[in-house]
Amino acid sequence: MVVIFICIIAAVVAYLAFTKNGQQIKNRASGTVAEKIKDDAMTPEGAKARYNTAIRDKQEFYQKVTGTYTLVAGKLKAMEEDLQKTKKDILRVQTSINQCLDNNDDKRAMYYAQKLVTLQNQQTVYESKLPELQAKKDEQEELKNRAYDELLKLKGEKDTVILQMEADQ
């Protein structure tokens, strides 16, 4: 019984998807649905539902943008902290090199010199990446603010339109 039912559904889907008449039926049905939605939007309840859907979409977009902004801002802050730590480490290693040279400990001075080169390379990388990350953060902040403004505008528009539609009835 279930197999027959599945076969019938598969045949109907295949008919609608692969035949010219099936596609015409599908297009007419989707047109009827679009017309019904358009007519429904002319009532306060329909308009409210459409605005609520649009507001929900804007809220989801705003949440995504805010999440991305938070992520980029966190990366920027972490990189700034890493740069500060690296600068402190460089000063500490330079002091260690000077102490080793004062004590005629050339082996340890060489070790610290290699460490110093590594730290200076890290500093260069951080300093080159920070402006890029700052630009990304600024871009995300602008996008976040714009999304928030659009959300507020849409909510205000909804209230105005619904109030006007209810007053016209």
Side-chain angles (χ1 to χ4, degrees), residues 100-119:
C100 289
L101 292 174
D102 290 343
N103 295 333
N104 291 326
D105 190 356
D106 292 341
K107 279 188 173 182
R108 287 189 62 165
M110 287 299 292
Y111 165 77
Y112 284 120
Q114 289 173 344
K115 193 170 184 176
L116 179 63
V117 169
T118 302
L119 290 169

Side-chain angles (χ1 to χ4, degrees), residues 62-129:
Y62 175 72
Q63 289 172 348
K64 286 180 185 176
V65 170
T66 300
T68 303
Y69 169 78
T70 303
L71 182 70
V72 171
K75 284 182 181 179
L76 178 64
K77 184 176 180 185
M79 189 174 287
E80 288 171 340
E81 290 171 356
D82 289 346
L83 177 61
Q84 292 306 315
K85 182 183 178 303
T86 301
K87 285 180 178 181
K88 287 178 184 177
D89 289 346
I90 287 173
L91 291 174
R92 189 175 38 82
V93 168
Q94 286 173 336
T95 303
S96 296
I97 290 173
N98 291 336
Q99 287 175 348
C100 289
L101 292 174
D102 290 343
N103 295 333
N104 291 326
D105 190 356
D106 292 341
K107 279 188 173 182
R108 287 189 62 165
M110 287 299 292
Y111 165 77
Y112 284 120
Q114 289 173 344
K115 193 170 184 176
L116 179 63
V117 169
T118 302
L119 290 169
Q120 288 171 333
N121 289 339
Q122 286 177 348
Q123 180 181 5
T124 303
V125 169
Y126 290 144
E127 288 173 344
S128 70
K129 293 294 180 182

Side-chain angles (χ1 to χ4, degrees), residues 17-31:
F18 299 116
T19 65
K20 192 173 189 177
N21 289 338
Q23 291 199 359
Q24 287 175 347
I25 291 170
K26 191 169 63 171
N27 289 340
R28 184 172 300 266
S30 67

Side-chain angles (χ1 to χ4, degrees), residues 44 157-169:
E157 182 182 316
K158 171 194 165 193
D159 294 339
T160 304
V161 169
I162 300 300
L163 193 65
Q164 184 64 43
M165 289 178 89
E166 288 173 346
D168 289 344
Q169 279 188 339

Side-chain angles (χ1 to χ4, degrees), residues 49-62:
R50 301 259 325 247
Y51 271 108
N52 285 340
T53 301
I55 288 170
R56 192 175 328 111
D57 291 344
K58 287 282 184 193
Q59 284 173 331
E60 288 174 7
F61 177 71
Y62 175 72

Side-chain angles (χ1 to χ4, degrees), residues 144-161:
K144 178 182 77 129
N145 291 340
R146 200 170 341 130
Y148 183 72
D149 291 342
E150 289 174 5
L151 180 61
L152 289 180
K153 181 181 171 188
L154 189 60
K155 285 180 177 182
E157 182 182 316
K158 171 194 165 193
D159 294 339
T160 304
V161 169

